[in-house]
Amino acid sequence: SSLNFQSAVVFPNKISTEQQSLMLVKRLLAVAVSCITYLRGIFPESAYGTRYMDDVCVKILREDKNCPGSTQLVKWMLGCYDALQKKYVSLPIQFSYFKCIETYIYTITECYHFKFKYTHNGPLLDFSSKNKRNDSTITCADTRKASVLLIRKIYILMQNLSPLPNDVFLTMKLFYYDEVTPSDYQPPGFKEGECEGMIFEGEPMYLNVGEVPTPFHMLKVKVTTEKQRMENVDKSILKHGETNVPLQVLRVDRDDPEE
């Protein structure tokens, strides 16, 4: 079932339909969000199950009656699935840790952006490297390799960032394509967002973690964290993997002028 949050990530031999691609993007989103919350120590061990993505062992959030927070996050994720299925999600799904300093004024201390692009002709593998493969068809092997690399990079980054403060809250925001999204649409578990003041605490550091292309979708993951939390991150660690593409530190994200 597409709503089975706990299923393993299985890469088909060929991603030949949009539905197969969507299924894979949903699973990847579940794995990424689960890894982040697990490695940032947000929920207890009991809130996770163990699954495999290729040969990588990953933790996946589950609804745990003893942990209302994990149950709520699973519900939000299913709401994201609904919006993804309907092609309403545009700009990032923002998944933030924040502190409330007064009513409706929040300071964000760490933020994860999951950005989706829906494509029909197939996205380009945009790794900004000399061997960029222009106009090439995305194969399942490309998608599998990029997916595993993305999750490994998330693991490496999360294990090396300094801990979050104890008094953080977790929130999730969806952004829509206004021209196709019905004005009264809210996915299950979401409500109309208030336009609260958002202040980043400290000096933000922008990290481009990676992207995963399929013939029908592109998923990009970015992290904004407090610069001091990066002090323990060995820069050579960020170059880990079977690629010469490091985890890029972005000063200005020219790809996303709307952000």
Side-chain angles (χ1 to χ4, degrees), residues 224-241:
T224 309
T225 190
E226 217 288 306
K227 191 177 180 185
Q228 286 186 321
R229 246 175 247 137
M230 290 287 294
E231 282 178 354
N232 303 331
V233 179
D234 177 355
K235 296 300 177 279
S236 66
I237 283 178
L238 300 184
K239 294 184 170 66
H240 172 89

Side-chain angles (χ1 to χ4, degrees), residues 138-244:
I138 303 299
T139 66
C140 196
D142 295 327
T143 301
R144 176 188 272 118
K145 186 174 179 181
S147 301
V148 170
L149 191 59
L150 175 71
I151 297 306
R152 282 186 180 153
K153 280 182 173 179
I154 288 174
Y155 260 77
I156 290 159
L157 180 62
M158 296 299 105
Q159 285 169 330
N160 287 279
L161 283 178
S162 304
L164 286 166
N166 290 329
D167 55 348
V168 293
F169 296 87
L170 186 150
T171 186
M172 199 172 220
K173 282 193 169 201
L174 293 180
F175 295 80
Y176 306 120
Y177 288 111
D178 288 340
E179 61 274 18
V180 294
T181 309
S183 57
D184 60 347
Y185 172 75
Q186 292 299 336
F190 286 82
K191 63 180 171 66
E192 183 80 29
E194 295 128 352
C195 210
E196 313 101 346
M198 285 285 187
I199 305 157
F200 195 89
E201 188 174 58
E203 187 184 343
M205 185 84 154
Y206 305 97
L207 301 169
N208 211 350
V209 183
E211 53 191 47
V212 177
T214 83
F216 300 91
H217 298 90
M218 171 75 89
L219 166 64
K220 293 187 178 188
V221 181
K222 296 171 184 174
V223 177
T224 309
T225 190
E226 217 288 306
K227 191 177 180 185
Q228 286 186 321
R229 246 175 247 137
M230 290 287 294
E231 282 178 354
N232 303 331
V233 179
D234 177 355
K235 296 300 177 279
S236 66
I237 283 178
L238 300 184
K239 294 184 170 66
H240 172 89
E242 317 81 349
T243 175
N244 56 1

Side-chain angles (χ1 to χ4, degrees), residues 34-50:
S34 299
C35 286
I36 291 164
T37 57
Y38 182 76
L39 293 164
R40 292 314 257 146
I42 299 300
F43 302 123
E45 189 75 34
S46 63
Y48 298 88
T50 302

Side-chain angles (χ1 to χ4, degrees), residues 87-154:
K87 299 189 181 179
Y88 291 162
V89 174
S90 68
L91 292 177
I93 289 177
Q94 283 187 351
F95 162 53
S96 315
Y97 295 117
F98 67 92
K99 293 200 272 190
C100 185
I101 47 177
E102 56 181 276
T103 311
Y104 296 129
I105 302 290
Y106 303 105
T107 61
I108 294 184
T109 188
E110 200 158 275
C111 191
Y112 300 86
H113 305 263
F114 296 88
K115 184 169 184 179
F116 300 90
K117 286 183 180 172
Y118 305 94
T119 59
H120 291 290
N121 308 325
L124 303 180
L125 264 174
D126 181 17
F127 287 134
S128 307
S129 58
K130 294 185 186 75
N131 58 356
K132 188 187 286 189
R133 298 161 39 184
N134 286 324
D135 299 312
S136 60
T137 311
I138 303 299
T139 66
C140 196
D142 295 327
T143 301
R144 176 188 272 118
K145 186 174 179 181
S147 301
V148 170
L149 191 59
L150 175 71
I151 297 306
R152 282 186 180 153
K153 280 182 173 179
I154 288 174

